Amino acid sequence: MRRIPIEYAREGDILGKTLYNSSGGMLLCSGTKLTERIICKLKNYGFYTIYIKDKYTEREIEEIIKPEIMARIHALHEDLQEIIKNSNNGMKVDIKGVNKNVRDINEIVNEIIYETLFNKDVLLNLENISIYDDYTLTHSINMMLLSIVIANESGFNMEQIKKLAIGCIFHDIGKTFLPIEIINKAGKLTDEEYELVKCHSEKGYEFLTSYTDLEAVSRNIALSHHEREDGLGYPRGLKSDEIHKFSKVASICDVFDALTSDRPYRRALPLHEAMEYLLASGGSQFDINFVRTFYNSINIYTRGTLVLLSDGREGVVYETNNGFSTRPKVRIYGEGGKKVSPYVVDLMGLNNILIEKVVHKFSFDM
Ligand SMILES: [Fe+2]
């Protein structure tokens, strides 16, 4: 099974992973044979990438967060947004209701933390992160999962991981205060719109401070996740040591997940390109030590990724070498554009060969 951009889907392909909407409702069951009509519908529905089963990649992909859990968080999240919208319209905020809601979300987050830390191998293969149609919530959850990886690898204790994780879930809650047209705008924002968007950090922080019992370090993530090491971030222009480590971790994961997600105005970047961006921005935008920890702890080329090697060979990532995410074992299917009998090469022992790029189809299969 592997993930492909939807325009590479063909009539007759078999859907590898069930597609859900954000309330946990099933849209299309895994195993469904795709037709032109279904592919067209999925495009209209807003899916940019899907999983298909194919002859090169036999593995199954396990979900990190089960649809039932996703449905529960989604319902709670919707309720909270409703409360905020009502308060925007002048209604009194039901503080008890908000706190109950936040506590329930916190409980689910703790469940997810235990599950993901037990199931570390699953988490390190980022493809298991689910695709849902509610971007804000999905993004917050993915960002939380990535933050758990960095926090765990950096030796944060369980209490710290929990506080970081819940802060990630609410990091963009301030966006609920902004006009929906700006949040969903497909094109570039005007200067005025951008200034307005920047207010989401403070608005979110104020809301969490006024109406919830969340601890200061968790609330602070909403306030400081757009600060930068060089002091050019917002809202306060804090510099390296002035930024709390939770916010440093959160900002890396925020950007990484945003870059690797499909958005209405741009397609997801492959994981290795997003990682290159993080490495290049380490020191100026991000804390380089946390970026390195992240780099060393995730698999950029997950099993089943189709790749072109620098010597022209084409193959499928067959096994990852832990800690060396750019040097996996690759099962070769083609040489110089011609199909060959499959064999495995281990890039760990071949330092002169690089993965040149990720492909979605082999040249000899076109
Ligand atoms: Fe944000």
Side-chain angles (χ1 to χ4, degrees), residues 171-172 175 200-201 225-226 234 254:
H171 79 285
D172 266 348
K175 286 195 174 165
H200 79 278
S201 326
H225 66 279
H226 289 289
Y234 65 86
D254 185 22

Side-chain angles (χ1 to χ4, degrees), residues 270-272 300-301 305-308 355-360:
L271 302 183
H272 64 284
I300 300 175
Y301 300 104
T305 306
L306 269 55
V307 291
L308 169 69
I355 291 180
E356 191 148 297
K357 63 176 180 181
V358 171
V359 294
H360 299 294

Side-chain angles (χ1 to χ4, degrees), residues 251-253 255-256 259 273-283 286 288 291 294:
S251 79
I252 292 171
C253 301
V255 171
F256 187 81
L259 290 176
E273 283 182 28
M275 190 52 92
E276 270 161 34
Y277 176 85
L278 293 188
L279 287 167
S281 316
F286 309 114
I288 188 68
V291 173
F294 188 41

